[in-house]
Amino acid sequence: MIRQATLHDIDAICALCVRCQPNPLPLSQMKKTLTDLIHAEDANVLVIELCGLVAGVVAFNLILQLDKSNHLGRISTIMVDEHFRDMTLGRQLLSAAETYLLARGCGHIEVVPSYHKADAQSFYLHCGFQLTPERLIKALAA
């Protein structure tokens, strides 16, 4: 079952992040970010549950664009517990995010896959994403 993440899910989502990421954020920072995302108007976090366990999560946001006729959706995180990866849960989470973003006027969705995971880029390409070299990124000093 896919549903909105709540504050009650934070510990389960953080545990999933620790299992799925090679260098997870400190737990306190992860909890703060999740809390911010859950409460944000232009972002959303969905979880997929199996037998009462959080088996996957997708976090995404809506980017309003002044110079385009449609908005842009950005998938910031999609993770599925390794024990459930052969069950199409990633596709289900992605589809739910796409439905949400399309309903809010998005014409495109972008994602920056985790290049340390060989199958991440393949997953997105298989789901219809196209690789484009159009991003420029600048780190901001704190």
Side-chain angles (χ1 to χ4, degrees):
M1 169 178 104
I2 296 177
R3 62 172 176 76
Q4 289 286 142
T6 68
L7 296 176
H8 299 297
D9 296 312
I10 287 179
D11 288 334
I13 294 170
C14 288
L16 180 64
C17 290
V18 167
R19 288 192 305 273
C20 293
Q21 295 178 331
N23 299 308
L25 293 173
L27 200 55
S28 60
Q29 186 176 351
M30 213 181 306
K31 287 183 177 186
K32 181 192 178 318
T33 300
L34 270 168
T35 301
D36 291 346
L37 282 168
I38 288 170
H39 291 298
E41 288 185 31
D42 60 349
N44 202 349
V45 180
L46 302 175
V47 294
I48 191 162
E49 276 187 334
L50 293 175
C51 302
L53 299 173
V54 172
V57 62
V58 61
F60 52 95
N61 61 304
L62 174 72
I63 301 168
L64 304 177
Q65 299 187 101
L66 180 61
D67 61 336
K68 307 279 189 218
S69 60
N70 292 313
H71 303 312
L72 177 67
R74 178 176 290 149
I75 306 283
S76 59
T77 302
I78 186 167
M79 282 183 265
V80 174
D81 188 291
E82 66 182 320
H83 298 102
F84 303 107
R85 290 204 182 134
D86 291 337
M87 301 175 65
T88 72
L89 302 186
R91 282 185 172 277
Q92 292 175 50
L93 286 165
L94 183 58
S95 178
E98 288 174 357
T99 299
Y100 179 95
L101 291 166
L102 185 61
R104 281 148 187 84
C106 288
H108 293 87
I109 299 174
E110 72 175 17
V111 64
V112 178
S114 299
Y115 289 104
H116 64 274
K117 298 206 176 226
D119 55 349
Q121 185 172 332
S122 176
F123 168 77
Y124 290 112
L125 291 170
H126 193 69
C127 290
F129 284 78
Q130 296 177 341
L131 189 59
T132 63
E134 299 174 0
R135 286 181 50 120
L136 299 171
I137 297 176
K138 178 182 179 182
L140 299 177

